[in-house]
Amino acid sequence: MKKIITSVLFAAVVQISFGQVKLPGMIRDSMVLQRDTKIKIWGWAAPNEKIKVKFNKKDFKTTAGADGKWNLFLPAMKAGGPYTMNIDASNHITVKDILIGDVWICSGQSNMVHQMSLHSVLYADEVASANNPQIRQFWVPNTTNLQGPQTDLPGGLWKSATTKDIGEFSAVAYFFAKKLYEKHHVPIGLINASWGGVPIEAMMSEDAFKEFPNILSTVQKNKDTAYINGLTRRTQSGNAGSRPEDKGLTQKWFDTSYVPKGWRTITIPGYWEDQGIKDLDGVIWYRRVIDIPASIANTSSKVFLGRIVDADALYINGKQVGNTTYQYPQVT
């Protein structure tokens, strides 16, 4: 039985050219295949081309259809590996380092996207000690196609939960996989098809909207490339030069010589909306004097501002020392 954490796998875009045997992007080195169930292997070749697959010391044969598509099923296997798969037709393909275990689809918004690299301070020990090649993740590229489902992905690799690649793992998915592995000692494959901020409708098939004519109407409009291109041009034109001037930069509010007048106090942490500044989408400047003891004046330090929505730039003594362009920085 396939296991699902939240939702569905994204479709992505690629053009398939026939003429020799080819595999989809997810069937590649270091992949994890589901244990205890028949395993489907598929791909493309020349029309009516004969394909032979050798796996786990057994041979399997099939023939591509007139459209060049082919598939076959391998028998169910127990957890284990690594295995090598050899595929022969007019060309030869070898897929190495294959594990048999439990495969999970991980899908959602930013909470499922959140990579370990965003939390490398909080989970510093976890990142430094990560060394479990039995846990692997395939990150589905964020690619859209408004015309319909596609047959393959434009890229992606299976990567192991080791210090080298752990930063690219979804934190939620990784700790989920780690807990399962520690309990069952079975290889874990994570297929992460997540995209921050997308509405659920973007993760559903067109058929799912049969009873929602308003949404279907939007889907049909989005299939019109002329409409989409026009919408994009209007959006870009409307944004051109529309951003107001930031007085904090032009008047150098970050400079040590600047004397603030009429500034109000504000409690942090907290939202400015809750402290009298309503309906503002823009920039707020904060200023604070901090006394540094002489004993630590020449030592290295780190500054953590916590979560700031949506971005920040930090100046110390008139010099910019850092900035965050994403609303989810390190959490301590």
Side-chain angles (χ1 to χ4, degrees), residues 264 266 271-279:
R264 59 179 294 174
I266 194 167
Y271 293 100
W272 65 56
E273 290 90 344
D274 298 332
Q275 301 183 58
I277 305 176
K278 298 291 186 179
D279 302 322

Side-chain angles (χ1 to χ4, degrees), residues 29-263:
D29 290 349
S30 303
M31 66 179 174
V32 182
L33 300 174
Q34 180 61 45
R35 62 171 172 158
D36 301 333
T37 188
K38 290 182 178 180
I39 301 170
K40 184 179 180 179
I41 302 297
W42 74 98
W44 303 270
N48 305 313
E49 186 171 6
K50 297 184 183 301
I51 297 101
K52 182 173 74 173
V53 176
K54 187 176 184 65
F55 186 63
N56 194 24
K57 301 179 181 179
K58 297 179 181 179
D59 292 328
F60 307 87
K61 297 180 180 179
T62 190
T63 302
D67 58 0
K69 298 178 182 179
W70 62 269
N71 69 79
L72 55 80
F73 285 88
L74 308 177
M77 295 176 61
K78 297 297 183 183
Y83 297 98
T84 296
M85 181 182 296
N86 288 288
I87 302 172
D88 287 283
S90 57
N91 59 310
H92 174 80
I93 297 176
T94 298
V95 184
K96 304 182 292 295
D97 191 29
I98 301 169
L99 296 179
I100 307 295
D102 287 336
V103 181
W104 297 80
I105 294 177
C106 316
S107 190
Q109 297 180 312
S110 55
N111 59 346
M112 189 63 75
V113 171
H114 261 226
Q115 295 165 308
M116 291 289 286
S117 59
L118 284 171
H119 305 284
S120 58
V121 174
L122 180 61
Y123 300 125
D125 293 341
E126 193 74 41
V127 171
S129 62
N131 185 30
N132 194 338
Q134 297 280 299
I135 298 176
R136 299 176 181 182
Q137 175 185 259
F138 185 95
W139 197 285
V140 177
N142 286 162
T143 305
T144 60
N145 187 318
L146 299 179
Q147 304 306 308
Q150 299 300 294
T151 54
D152 202 0
L153 300 171
L157 297 170
W158 285 93
K159 296 191 176 183
S160 299
T162 60
T163 298
K164 175 177 177 291
D165 294 319
I166 190 66
E168 299 180 34
F169 274 63
S170 157
V172 170
Y174 168 68
F175 285 111
F176 167 80
K178 181 184 178 186
K179 186 173 183 179
L180 282 182
Y181 184 81
E182 289 173 346
K183 182 177 182 179
H184 301 291
H185 297 285
V186 168
I188 302 293
L190 305 168
I191 300 174
N192 197 318
S194 302
W195 199 329
V198 297
I200 188 62
E201 290 85 353
M203 306 172 75
M204 299 167 65
S205 69
E206 185 174 348
D207 288 343
F209 301 122
K210 289 180 178 179
E211 298 181 15
F212 302 91
N214 290 339
I215 297 179
L216 276 178
S217 175
T218 300
V219 171
Q220 294 306 315
K221 283 198 299 185
N222 288 343
K223 290 183 179 182
D224 184 346
T225 55
Y227 165 77
I228 293 298
N229 291 337
L231 188 64
T232 301
R233 287 193 296 269
R234 289 193 296 273
T235 301
Q236 292 173 342
S237 175
N239 289 336
S242 62
R243 179 174 295 179
E245 180 183 78
D246 183 350
K247 291 182 179 180
L249 293 176
T250 58
Q251 297 180 13
K252 296 184 179 180
W253 292 354
F254 52 82
D255 196 276
T256 55
S257 62
Y258 175 76
V259 179
K261 296 180 180 180
W263 285 39

